[in-house]
Amino acid sequence: MAVEALSVSPPALAGRMQRISVSATAAMVIEAERLRAEGADLVDFGAGEPDFPTPEHIKQAAVAALRENFTRYTATGGIAPLKDAICRRHAALCGTAYERAEVLVTLGGKHALFNCISALVDHGDEVILPAPYWVSFYDMITYAGGRPKVVAADEEHGFTLTPAMIERALSPRTRAIILNSPSNPSGAVLPPALFQAVLAICRERGIWLISDECYLQFIYAGAPYSVAAEPGARERVIIAGSLSKTYAMTGWRIGYALAPKPVIGAMLNLQSHSTSNPVSFAQKAAIAALEGPQDCVAGMLSEYRRRRDLIVSGLRAIPGLRCVEPAGAFYAYPNLKALLRPGLETPMAFSQRLLREYGVVTVPGEAFGTAAHLRFSYATSTQNIERGLQRLRDFCAAL
Ligand SMILES: Cc1ncc(COP(=O)(O)O)c(C=O)c1O
């Protein structure tokens, strides 16, 4: 991570750089890397990415594309067969009816969100953001000149939200509402009724609903749901999606946006002046992922379910830790309020000592806008989960 570059003295930089910060996630990654370089034996719950390799048939499609010299610029917004494959897969999963002109292929879901927020949020606009939130939402909003209006989700009810909580945060400056279900970091899955209510608010007020579906297929009960399938949704909704987690393709950088044509046009314009097209042969691999056998996704999901059960029961067995059962994604987000004390007042302090003294990498809740939590990614082996839980038990017992 180019943290050194960001620490150039502020006067040399554009003002907008003062509106974003190096995240607590990045800070923990740097500390963990330093310890690892010194030979420390770490158990890493920090990484927000699948530990599985990309499935073989997807890799083979990229190899074939390279052999055929599919190595040049492509259309900026992605090749037509990939756009069609995205529409078809989304339709098959969620019952939506997007067309090619409503798709933009991006360099990961993060890029889709960055383009979308840049295209929609003006200086002084407010964006409603439920907490805990994924780190980058906050900085993308402030970078665009907007103001995040943070709404704390209800932890007692599984980090849920009610329409009333969203309504209380509305103002004449509200430009958009961001929902992320399943959530990183809480694993919460929001019910369709909440999406329907938020969609109704957005339609009534003429504001945008940005729905981040990066973990769409990683839900432990029920079928994937997209608000975009609701009647009248497509004029008000922007979907950000990604192949990164679903197909263990984090390094390939393929994501997408589904949105009304004028929004896609604006995002495409921005993309044409920054990254240009997503990587040519990664696009071919993405077609293979979306159109090929889907049992790899089900296989990963059932492994995540096993790991979730293991980590949640292990965390709940530690006196002082409370843990909502994640209904999706691959993160546990326990509350450690009862363990915070003088000298160990914050999740950041807790996480740092856990790393330095017991070699366990976690991400402190400050990164996600809450004050008493740690995020554990359980996209890691059962053996690592067991070793990490043992170390955490030892650390907590020694407090
Ligand atoms: C909630 C959420 N949205 C978007 C992304 C972006 O993923 P990518 O850019 O790899 O597609 C992530 C990655 O961690 C995420 O957790």
Side-chain angles (χ1 to χ4, degrees), residues 48-49 106-113 133-137 140 180-185 212-215 240-245 249-251 253-256 330-331 375:
E49 64 175 334
T106 56
L107 287 87
K110 185 180 268 186
H111 187 214
L113 288 159
Y133 47 74
W134 176 54
V135 266
S136 293
F137 290 137
M140 286 179 187
N180 168 220
S181 173
S183 153
N184 174 7
D212 178 348
E213 297 183 348
C214 279
Y215 299 90
S242 173
L243 276 68
S244 291
K245 322 282 174 166
M249 291 179 73
T250 45
R253 312 309 303 135
I254 296 287
Y256 57 87
F330 42 64
Y331 307 101
R375 190 192 76 175

Side-chain angles (χ1 to χ4, degrees), residues 30-325:
I30 290 161
E31 178 77 359
E33 270 168 13
R34 190 182 64 74
L35 291 171
R36 210 174 267 124
E38 288 171 4
D41 165 32
L42 303 183
V43 179
D44 196 342
F45 292 112
E49 64 175 334
D51 57 326
F52 301 108
T54 304
E56 197 52 37
H57 68 282
I58 300 175
K59 291 194 272 197
Q60 285 310 324
V63 170
L66 284 168
R67 291 231 163 87
E68 286 157 17
N69 294 315
F70 191 71
T71 52
R72 302 208 165 151
Y73 293 134
T74 72
T76 301
I79 55 178
L82 177 52
K83 290 183 178 180
D84 293 346
I86 290 167
C87 295
R88 273 198 295 272
R89 174 67 38 212
H90 206 265
L93 287 167
C94 305
T96 48
Y98 281 105
E99 298 164 13
R100 195 185 286 175
E102 297 166 299
V103 189
L104 180 73
V105 187
T106 56
L107 287 87
K110 185 180 268 186
H111 187 214
L113 288 159
F114 186 86
N115 282 352
C116 153
I117 289 170
S118 302
L120 300 180
V121 175
D122 254 324
H123 278 266
D125 285 348
E126 291 178 2
V127 180
I128 296 179
L129 181 62
Y133 47 74
W134 176 54
V135 266
S136 293
F137 290 137
Y138 196 97
D139 290 73
M140 286 179 187
I141 297 165
T142 55
Y143 186 75
R147 284 200 297 261
K149 193 87 177 269
V150 176
V151 174
D154 177 1
E155 184 173 4
E156 299 311 313
H157 295 93
F159 289 108
T160 48
L161 296 159
T162 61
M165 288 158 80
I166 301 283
E167 261 155 19
R168 277 196 295 274
L170 289 166
S171 88
R173 298 307 310 261
T174 306
R175 181 84 171 138
I177 301 171
I178 297 182
L179 296 179
N180 168 220
S181 173
S183 153
N184 174 7
S186 72
V189 173
L190 299 171
L194 190 265
F195 274 102
Q196 287 154 3
V198 173
L199 175 63
I201 294 171
C202 290
R203 281 167 59 81
E204 192 188 308
R205 298 215 165 208
I207 61 178
W208 297 104
L209 171 52
I210 301 171
S211 179
D212 178 348
E213 297 183 348
C214 279
Y215 299 90
L216 178 72
Q217 296 198 62
F218 291 154
I219 54 168
Y220 299 114
Y225 165 83
S226 177
V227 64
E230 299 291 345
R234 268 160 65 199
E235 314 88 78
R236 279 288 127 218
V237 169
I238 293 99
I239 300 293
S242 173
L243 276 68
S244 291
K245 322 282 174 166
T246 316
Y247 299 103
M249 291 179 73
T250 45
W252 299 74
R253 312 309 303 135
I254 296 287
Y256 57 87
L258 301 168
K261 285 176 203 165
V263 178
I264 290 293
M267 292 170 67
L268 175 64
N269 193 356
L270 186 57
Q271 187 155 313
S272 77
H273 295 299
S274 53
T275 57
S276 297
N277 60 276
V279 173
S280 56
F281 47 90
Q283 293 188 64
K284 292 280 192 171
I287 295 173
L290 294 163
E291 308 244 285
Q294 300 296 303
D295 50 339
C296 52
V297 183
M300 287 188 266
L301 178 61
S302 75
E303 184 55 31
Y304 289 141
R305 184 185 287 107
R306 243 194 310 281
R307 297 173 183 183
R308 175 198 64 168
D309 294 346
L310 178 66
I311 198 163
V312 170
S313 64
L315 291 169
R316 284 179 171 172
I318 296 173
L321 280 189
R322 286 191 292 126
C323 188
V324 166
E325 179 172 80

